[in-house]
Amino acid sequence: MSNLAIDARGVNKTFGTGALAFQALKDVDFQVKRGELVMLVGPSGSGKTTLLSILGCVLTASAGVVELFGTNITSLRERQLPVLRQALIGFVFQGHNLISSLTALQNVALILETRGVKRRHAHDEAAALLKRVGLGDKLNSFPDQLSGGQRQRVAIARAVAGKPPLVFADEPTAALDAHAGLEVTKILTEMCRENGTSVVVVTHDNRIFHLADRIVHIEDGQITDGHTAAAAATSPTAH
Ligand SMILES: Nc1ncnc2c1ncn2[C@@H]1O[C@H](COP(=O)(O)OP(=O)(O)OP(=O)(O)O)[C@@H](O)[C@H]1O
Ligand SMILES: [Mg+2]
């Protein structure tokens, strides 16, 4: 069994066609080990969300191979992707993306129900997760009744609900002050470490870098510090 959670090789993504074509990812190689926490860092427009979306089965690559836990997702049919996504992946989106007509509890419980947990249990588990992220007194609040940091915590509880083996977080601290940003990232990393989850966090926030196992830089659609752990281990020039 491979020790890689994510093995992406030669990934390209072009948006649009003809004169309007734009290549957002250029031959990206990106590996994440099981249980590893990687932060993906790069300027605005460098391709971070695009890469995360491809790894998260939200977008398909134009070329290249992506394997998640040994399953080649680039060879799957489009309609199979949501099934795989549901089984494997928790997502904290850029902007929290909570459903505004549902309470904090319902937002988290809904994900558990889609992962096959029965309603009663889903509510109990969602309440426990929200308590864990410090929102025990906000279970019945709607997203617009919560602060930015609180909404982000709900989004984190939702991403880890059901313990998916992979969690992606796209700038989870962007809307938060330094203290709140560090707090929510700590909660995310703690919960993922307990579950042995592999995590990719996109961030500009150097105040949270110390929580990562590894930082990967991307610029203009290319990984700029190419030696992944896997490549370094097999490379004769690695030292
Ligand atoms: N659907 C699309 N159609 C055309 N171009 C797109 C599309 N989505 C993204 N792009 C382009 O691809 C590039 C990478 O976008 P992406 O959203 O991945 O950047 P990012 O690194 O996440 O930036 P940010 O830090 O601002 O969120 C950008 O130049 C963007 O304009
Ligand atoms: Mg982005």
Side-chain angles (χ1 to χ4, degrees):
M1 188 174 72
S2 159
N3 73 338
L4 292 178
I6 299 172
D7 188 6
R9 300 183 300 273
V11 172
N12 284 275
K13 179 67 182 178
T14 303
F15 291 110
T17 53
L20 294 176
F22 180 82
Q23 195 177 2
L25 295 177
K26 302 165 186 165
D27 281 327
V28 167
D29 291 330
F30 183 73
Q31 282 83 23
V32 176
K33 288 189 280 191
R34 290 171 190 254
E36 192 180 25
L37 193 152
V38 173
M39 290 191 185
L40 183 62
V41 180
S44 181
S46 57
K48 303 180 299 295
T49 297
T50 304
L51 180 58
L52 222 56
S53 303
I54 290 171
L55 302 176
C57 306
V58 176
L59 276 181
T60 53
S62 308
V65 174
V66 178
E67 290 182 6
L68 300 182
F69 301 100
T71 298
N72 181 348
I73 63 165
T74 34
S75 66
L76 295 179
R77 291 174 196 282
E78 197 120 336
R79 64 187 159 78
Q80 293 174 298
L81 289 175
V83 180
L84 197 75
R85 186 165 69 227
Q86 195 171 305
L88 292 184
I89 298 164
F91 235 114
V92 182
F93 292 95
Q94 194 167 12
H96 58 81
N97 238 37
L98 300 174
I99 299 172
S100 59
S101 59
L102 299 181
T103 64
L105 185 77
Q106 291 165 336
N107 263 285
V108 178
L110 180 67
I111 288 291
L112 286 162
E113 285 180 50
T114 62
R115 295 207 158 112
V117 179
K118 292 269 182 299
R119 173 161 292 194
R120 172 62 96 39
H121 281 126
H123 276 226
D124 291 348
E125 209 174 319
L129 279 164
L130 287 166
K131 281 182 191 138
R132 179 72 202 280
V133 299
L135 293 178
D137 58 340
K138 301 285 184 187
L139 301 183
N140 299 316
S141 299
F142 290 92
D144 66 3
Q145 299 169 328
L146 297 171
S147 72
Q150 290 168 340
R151 282 197 287 262
Q152 207 58 295
R153 289 182 207 205
V154 179
I156 286 168
R158 189 178 60 168
V160 303
K163 303 186 181 175
L166 252 180
V167 166
F168 296 117
D170 199 348
E171 308 220 26
T173 67
L176 307 179
D177 64 40
H179 176 72
L182 190 58
E183 244 354 79
V184 299
T185 313
K186 273 187 185 155
I187 291 169
L188 174 69
T189 53
E190 259 172 44
M191 293 173 99
C192 288
R193 297 234 186 253
E194 272 170 33
N195 297 342
T197 308
S198 313
V199 189
V200 182
V201 179
V202 165
T203 186
H204 294 286
D205 189 350
N206 59 14
R207 295 165 304 204
I208 65 171
F209 285 179
H210 65 282
L211 296 168
D213 294 320
R214 191 156 57 90
I215 311 269
V216 172
H217 294 90
I218 183 167
E219 238 170 83
D220 197 17
Q222 289 176 303
I223 304 286
T224 53
D225 48 2
H227 287 295
T228 61
T234 54
S235 162
T237 56
H239 49 261

